[in-house]
Structures are given as structure tokens and as C-alpha cells.
Amino acid sequence: MHPHLLSKSTYIAGLQCEKKLFLQKHRRDLIPPIAAAQQFVFDQGSRVGELAQQLFLGGVDATPESYYDFRPAIEQTRKWMEEGKTVIYEAAFQFDRVLAAVDILVRDGNGWKAFEVKSSTEVKEVHRNDAAIQYYIMTQLGIAIHDISIVYINNQYVREGEVDIQQLFVTESVLEDVLQRQAMIPAKVAELKAVLEGKQEPVVDIGPQCDDPYECDLKHYCWAHVPDYSVFNINRLGSVYKWELYKNGVLKVDDVPETFSLGQNQRMQVDAQKSGEVTIDHAEIKSFLNDLNYPLYFLDFETFSTSVPIIDGTRPYQQLVFQYSLHIQNEPSGELIHKEYLAIPSSGDYLPDLIQTMIADCSTSGDIIVYNQGFESGKIKDMASMYPRFEVGLNAMLDRIVDLMVPFQKRWYYTPMMKGSYSIKYVLPALVPELSYKTLDIQEGETASAVFSSMMTGLFAGDIEKTRRDLLEYCKLDTLAMVRILEVLRTHQR
């Protein structure tokens, strides 16, 4: 048996972009290291796959010892099928040098049913293509496949006690759709094999495929000609219009024609980039600042989510607060008091303690300053719903929230350095360049979430104490950033 040339995953990559397929094989030096957030997604997917096996107990596992050599797994799968095994996990098959491993294969009379497990909460187009190539390989080998299904996460399931596997998963047949795709597969397989065996990198311009169905990990290579700040950064400009500008040779924001149709804020962004001018509405800023009630409590949450709920009363992928930072200021330019909370993963349901501590830390009077009120308010409402005994205290916090994002969202303050965004990650370097996340080991919320999620699920293999310090420093900077941003706004009131 010759080693496979194409696999299910590389077939999917080739459907997205032939250049991506070629580079993944011939220029692996271009592929960046896997980020912590992405690694957690992979680990979580593996965990979901293992749990789904409990839907079909008593199976045998054909997982290869090495993912560089599937031949033993293919042979073992064939042997078990001949021996009459009824359930095979990670069943491996190869036809015409194309490899596929099926998550769960279940004997159904004289044939089989195949199940592909996904950690998503719905069946996506890419999953249908995934199942189609699996079905093609198995049926070309003469295997009778009566049905093929996607097993995915039920995001309405609420955990109470032990995880209910039957309730956690949804199984949906995709056989009809898979059958409709069979006719195009042989030609596509031949085409993608030719790409892999070719010597020249395919000429493929960047396009919407760079992010569909997944963001390509080679964008840094293919997008090298695109400026860091380009038409793709025009805020809330539809993808169709961004690509229209690109196809017409417009890459820089400065080069967007005056005749190109833009919304008011988009036009402000473009015009500010061209002129370099800062827009400040002093009256609105003054009104905003005059409405603040001291003491001020600058509050920021970090959240995590998992595909399989860990805490009773929660759903798959529900965002749960695991950390907060709080800077307290009793008067304008007054001394700062800092308080913080970071959950201990081994403590089980830590939320009641976090809530109780947070309510006490925020006292009973003064405004609670957040950046993006919808997020913090949403999490507080979730906690009030989960723990009714804290509802009064949490609702009292809701009544005191003020959104520091508003002056920037409404363009009362806008500088070209904000690059069309009102995210704090853009506002901070524009207003307070001496404060930077770049000096931290954890620099954004996605990594913070992934790191804590891996701790909660037992997948973390790093230095726990150092990582806890890193999480605290990251969240602390978020609230300090709000303090400093407010100080800058104060210099612009008249």
C-alpha cells in the first residue's frame, strides 16, 4: 500500500484554496506555531470526540500510534470489520491514495452507519464536504454505508449532575446532501492530487476564501502586500465592498476615492486618515464627565467557555466569568485602589464566591465604569439568573454601570490612530501610548480565556502559578487602561 497523498483534512484545505494545500505540504516552514487559543480548540475537539464514543459503547479503537503512518490503522480496521466487530472508533480507510478516518463506525445489519463528531453547535457546509469525502472513500472500497451523520453539541443542554451524553449531543443525517456531492469528488480529487504533485506554487490571489470556512494560517504570507492598515480595516464596511476596492487596486485607506459610497463614520475614518486630523466634541465629553458619580469603580471581566459544561446550571459554550479587576477612585485624579479576583480551577463552582466578593468590592454607591456595557451587563444578568440569592446585589450593580466606550463609539473623540475602531485595544495606544499590552505574556482576552479553560478542563500543562500572575496582570491593565483613558478625556472638556 502506497502512503496516502491526500487526506480528508487536506481535501478540505484544497477546497478552500489550492495555494493553501500546496504550501501546507511544500512550505511547512511558513506555518506559524499554534497559538494557545487554537490549541485549546483542538484539545477540546478531541475531548468531544472521546465523549461521543459513549453514544456507542463497546467499540474498538483504531487510532494509529503515529499520525504519520496510518497503514496499521487501515489494516486493523479491515480486520475488525471482517471479524464482525460492531463499533469501531477512528476507523481508517484509504482509496486511490486518499485517506479518511471516521470517528465512529457502527454495523447496521449487512452494512454500516458512519458518524463524524464535531464540537460545533450546528452542521456547517464544511462538515458536509467532510462527510462527502469519507463516504466516497468507503463506498469506493465496496463498503455498504446505509447512513452518514454529523454528531454535534446541543447548546440548549443544561448540566445538572453528571454529564448526560444523550442530551449533550445531537445526531443529524447528512446522507442526502452527501449523495448529491459524490459526482464532483473524483475530478476534484484528481485536481488536488495534481496540485500536491506539482512543483510550482499555484497562482491564487487573496479573496474571501482566506477566511472561509476557516481563517487561513498562511495569511501572513499571502497578504504580505496588504498594508497593516488597509481598506479591510474600514469599520463595518461590508466584505463585498472591501473586495470591490481591492479588485480596483485600492489597498490603503488614504486611497479610497471620494466618490466611493461610505457611511458617515466610515467617511470620517477615511477622511481622518487622509488629513491626520483629530475630532473632539468638547461639549459632549464635558457632559459625559459631569454625569459621573464618584467614587468610580473601573470593572473588567474575563470569561471562559467550554463545549462540555463544567458547572451545574450552565450550557455548552456559555461564557462564565472567572476573573475580574477593579480599580477604585474616590475623586478625580485621586489615589487608585486595586482589587481583583481570579478563580481557582480546582475549587469547583467558584461563582458564588466570585459574585459575593465582587458585590462587596463594588460597595453600594458610585458609578461602575466598564468598556462595552453590553458584555459586562450581560454577564451580570447571567449570574443573577443562575444564583437568585445574589439577584438584588447584582441588579443594583447594573443600575450603576456607565460605558466608557460611548465617547469613542459615538465619535466624540476620534483620532486616525484608532484606525476606525473603538475597541479599547485601539483606543489605549492612541490616547495612552505609554501603556502597552505588548509587554505582557498574555496580551488579549482570547488567550486568557483559552488558558483558563485548559486549567478548568485539566488540559493545562504549563506553570500554573506563573500563568495565574500573567492573568492577573493582563486583567489589571484592562481596568488601569480605563482610568488613564478617562484622564485623557478630562483634558478635553470645556
Side-chain angles (χ1 to χ4, degrees):
M1 179 187 301
H2 294 291
H4 67 273
L5 180 61
L6 197 64
S7 69
K8 179 183 68 173
S9 60
T10 55
Y11 175 81
I12 295 299
L15 290 184
Q16 179 173 356
C17 174
E18 292 185 359
K19 185 175 180 181
K20 174 182 180 179
L21 174 66
F22 181 90
L23 293 174
Q24 283 183 340
K25 177 177 176 61
H26 298 284
R27 291 295 311 275
R28 296 197 61 82
D29 58 297
L30 294 174
I31 300 175
I34 298 174
Q38 187 60 49
Q39 185 60 54
F40 179 70
V41 171
F42 293 151
D43 293 343
Q44 188 163 237
S46 298
R47 173 62 175 150
V48 167
E50 292 169 2
L51 278 176
Q53 292 176 359
Q54 296 181 31
L55 294 169
F56 304 94
L57 296 172
V60 289
D61 192 342
T63 301
E65 291 185 7
S66 169
Y67 284 99
Y68 294 101
D69 184 8
F70 269 83
R71 285 174 294 185
I74 294 167
E75 179 58 30
Q76 185 66 75
T77 298
R78 183 194 62 76
K79 180 180 178 184
W80 279 336
M81 292 176 73
E82 291 174 352
E83 290 176 352
K85 299 295 185 184
T86 56
V87 179
I88 304 174
Y89 309 133
E90 298 298 327
F93 304 94
Q94 183 173 308
F95 170 75
D96 194 23
R97 300 191 69 187
V98 185
L99 170 75
V102 180
D103 288 330
I104 304 172
L105 193 65
V106 179
R107 189 178 294 276
D108 178 47
N110 294 324
W112 298 85
K113 289 183 177 180
F115 300 86
E116 187 66 10
V117 182
K118 303 298 179 184
S119 56
S120 67
T121 58
E122 61 180 349
V123 177
K124 301 178 181 179
E125 176 71 7
V126 65
H127 301 155
R128 299 178 191 278
N129 285 325
D130 190 304
I133 188 65
Q134 290 179 319
Y135 183 91
Y136 171 78
I137 292 169
M138 289 186 289
T139 54
Q140 290 298 310
L141 291 169
I143 300 167
I145 303 297
H146 296 334
D147 198 7
I148 185 164
S149 300
I150 305 297
V151 180
Y152 59 94
I153 297 290
N154 171 19
N155 61 2
Q156 299 305 306
Y157 165 67
V158 178
R159 177 170 183 165
E160 296 295 347
E162 291 297 315
V163 174
D164 185 333
I165 298 298
Q166 298 297 329
Q167 294 296 317
L168 176 64
F169 290 107
V170 177
T171 301
E172 181 178 328
S173 173
V174 292
L175 178 62
E176 183 177 345
D177 197 44
V178 161
L179 290 174
Q180 293 176 356
R181 295 169 193 243
Q182 293 304 293
M184 56 80 67
I185 291 179
K188 179 55 69 173
V189 164
E191 180 183 329
L192 297 182
K193 283 182 179 178
V195 170
L196 288 173
E197 292 178 319
K199 302 299 182 184
Q200 295 296 320
E201 177 183 309
V203 178
V204 181
D205 197 6
I206 65 171
Q209 79 277 359
C210 296
D211 295 290
D212 183 20
Y214 308 113
E215 182 179 6
C216 182
D217 53 6
L218 292 159
K219 282 181 71 172
H220 65 285
Y221 173 75
C222 298
W223 286 57
H225 63 294
V226 178
D228 288 339
Y229 184 41
S230 71
V231 294
F232 296 102
N233 301 110
I234 298 178
N235 192 39
R236 297 185 180 275
L237 182 62
S239 177
V240 171
Y241 302 106
K242 292 177 181 179
W243 288 110
E244 180 184 340
L245 286 167
Y246 176 78
K247 295 299 182 184
N248 288 321
V250 180
L251 273 74
K252 294 181 180 180
V253 175
D254 315 57
D255 296 333
V256 175
E258 295 293 332
T259 55
F260 193 82
S261 179
L262 293 172
Q264 181 179 354
N265 285 343
Q266 293 161 354
R267 178 53 64 186
M268 174 188 280
Q269 178 183 351
V270 171
D271 289 347
Q273 181 63 22
K274 291 180 178 181
S275 68
E277 293 181 359
V278 177
T279 299
I280 302 175
D281 189 326
H282 300 281
E284 289 287 7
I285 290 174
K286 181 178 181 179
S287 176
F288 177 83
L289 294 173
N290 286 346
D291 285 342
L292 295 179
N293 300 295
Y294 282 80
L296 298 183
Y297 297 82
F298 298 84
L299 176 66
D300 180 71
F301 291 153
E302 298 302 330
T303 63
F304 82 104
S305 66
T306 56
S307 55
V308 181
I310 296 173
I311 296 173
D312 282 358
T314 65
R315 303 180 308 278
Y317 295 113
Q318 181 177 346
Q319 288 187 320
L320 301 175
V321 178
F322 69 87
Q323 175 182 13
Y324 69 78
S325 173
L326 188 70
H327 274 93
I328 305 169
Q329 193 172 45
N330 290 307
E331 58 185 4
S333 302
E335 180 183 354
L336 290 175
I337 301 168
H338 183 248
K339 297 188 178 185
E340 60 192 2
Y341 185 102
L342 175 58
I344 299 173
S346 60
S347 62
D349 186 0
Y350 59 82
L351 276 166
D353 184 54
L354 181 151
I355 295 168
Q356 209 164 8
T357 306
M358 178 178 65
I359 291 174
D361 284 348
C362 288
S363 191
T364 58
S365 64
D367 288 341
I368 297 173
I369 309 297
V370 300
Y371 205 96
N372 187 4
Q373 180 175 351
F375 178 74
E376 263 76 17
S377 293
K379 299 310 114 190
I380 290 173
K381 290 175 183 177
D382 284 350
M383 290 187 281
S385 175
M386 290 173 61
Y387 304 95
R389 65 186 184 274
F390 299 119
E391 187 173 2
V392 172
L394 290 169
N395 285 341
M397 287 181 60
L398 285 173
D399 293 338
R400 298 160 55 198
I401 287 181
V402 174
D403 195 348
L404 184 59
M405 186 171 74
V406 169
F408 306 100
Q409 185 179 33
K410 294 190 174 182
R411 298 296 197 265
W412 299 339
Y413 191 110
Y414 183 76
T415 166
M417 291 181 64
M418 289 162 56
K419 299 182 177 179
S421 174
Y422 44 82
S423 161
I424 197 169
K425 295 300 189 294
Y426 284 86
V427 172
L428 181 63
L431 272 68
V432 194
E434 64 270 21
L435 278 186
S436 175
Y437 291 88
K438 294 180 180 179
T439 61
L440 304 179
D441 287 339
I442 293 177
Q443 300 179 3
E444 29 74 33
E446 190 177 39
T447 299
S449 176
V451 166
F452 189 80
S453 296
S454 64
M455 289 180 177
M456 285 293 288
T457 53
L459 298 171
F460 186 74
D463 184 330
I464 291 179
E465 289 308 312
K466 178 187 181 302
T467 303
R468 285 182 63 84
R469 292 193 298 272
D470 292 341
L471 286 168
L472 291 170
E473 284 301 308
Y474 168 72
C475 197
K476 181 179 181 180
L477 184 54
D478 271 345
T479 50
L480 180 60
M482 287 191 277
V483 174
R484 300 304 180 215
I485 288 170
L486 189 63
E487 289 175 354
V488 173
L489 288 181
R490 286 199 176 281
T491 66
H492 295 288
Q493 60 178 331
R494 290 178 186 169

